[in-house]
Amino acid sequence: MSTELILVRHGESVANVTPVIGGMTGDVGLTDRGRRQAELLAERLRAEKFEADVLYASTLPRAQQTARYVSQALGLPVLDDAELQELRPGDADGLSVGEWKSRWPGLADGMWRRPFQAFASGGESWATFLARAGAGLTELVARHPGERIVAVTHGGVIEASLALVFGLGPTTARVKFALANTGVTTWRHDPAADAAHWTLVSVNDAAHLSGLAPEGDGLSAIR
């Protein structure tokens, strides 16, 4: 029996547009535009009579605030899952991107070429983040076999899901994905499949945002 895993990126956040390193300290939640994006997503879910079995969210404020809109639309409580957090920035949390680059010279420009190098002291590297995010998503699927899971998370976690399934490990050339705020990516997992267990059903579905003016890429150092 297959399991559906639906990953929703949070709405536009203050950390996205400032830009600030948005860990638990630097993340102050959504912008007005981000709240409107979440409202539009909720309206779409209601219009489509979308149903799910369980709703999870990253514990970062921007994901928690987005998840409240999804919760109201689905009639489900939000279950917190810290493993759905974005890459953990350690001591860079709350700094501006400029301050981060000044405090750790050369790190920002070289991070993706050195995948085992921490984002900052006490933070995760791209490699450790991939492992943690992949394990967290695998655990969600294992916990809810045959169910439809909605998880409100971050661009990096969705990117990690794509990278891991497509075999783009930490030492391969990084492929970046332009993921819209509140965009929806859907996976189907079938443990009984003869070959690939994962099927990518849709990626970055943001049809509910068609009435909004085009946004920037919404990408900060921590998304």
Side-chain angles (χ1 to χ4, degrees):
M1 183 181 297
S2 62
T3 301
E4 201 167 25
L5 177 62
I6 298 156
L7 303 177
V8 179
R9 190 185 176 203
H10 60 80
E12 181 187 81
S13 69
V14 175
N16 287 149
V17 300
T18 307
V20 164
I21 309 299
M24 289 300 291
T25 298
D27 184 3
V28 296
L30 301 178
T31 63
D32 288 343
R33 180 184 179 86
R35 284 185 284 274
R36 180 57 182 152
Q37 291 168 336
E39 287 175 353
L40 290 170
L41 173 60
E43 289 172 8
R44 176 184 178 181
L45 294 173
R46 290 190 188 96
E48 294 179 353
K49 295 181 170 53
F50 189 91
E51 295 182 351
D53 295 293
V54 64
L55 169 63
Y56 284 89
S58 157
T59 50
L60 287 167
R62 58 193 183 272
Q64 288 281 308
Q65 291 179 15
T66 304
R68 290 176 199 155
Y69 293 90
V70 178
S71 173
Q72 292 169 4
L74 299 182
L76 291 172
V78 179
L79 303 177
D80 295 344
D81 190 335
E83 299 309 297
L84 291 171
Q85 284 187 10
E86 185 58 274
L87 186 148
R88 291 166 181 157
D91 293 339
D93 192 2
L95 299 180
S96 70
V97 171
E99 289 169 333
W100 169 52
K101 291 180 177 180
S102 296
R103 190 169 298 187
W104 289 276
L107 188 155
D109 293 335
M111 180 180 179
W112 308 120
R113 295 192 296 274
R114 296 189 290 273
F116 297 97
Q117 174 180 276
F119 186 86
S121 56
E124 291 179 310
S125 68
W126 176 242
T128 55
F129 169 68
L130 275 181
R132 191 254 299 168
L137 295 175
T138 299
E139 169 59 24
L140 276 188
V141 170
R143 199 181 302 156
H144 298 281
E147 296 185 331
R148 176 181 274 181
I149 308 160
V150 176
V152 180
T153 184
H154 304 268
V157 173
I158 300 171
E159 183 176 343
S161 77
L162 294 162
L164 290 167
V165 171
F166 293 136
L168 302 174
T171 58
T172 61
R174 187 178 179 215
V175 178
K176 295 181 71 175
F177 300 89
L179 300 168
N181 290 113
T182 69
V184 179
T185 295
T186 300
W187 291 99
R188 187 168 59 245
H189 182 262
D190 183 359
D194 291 336
H197 291 175
W198 289 96
T199 299
L200 182 59
V201 179
S202 65
V203 62
N204 198 37
D205 180 354
H208 51 282
L209 302 180
S210 60
L212 284 181
E215 60 178 304
D217 64 9
L219 305 181
S220 65
I222 294 294
R223 297 175 290 168

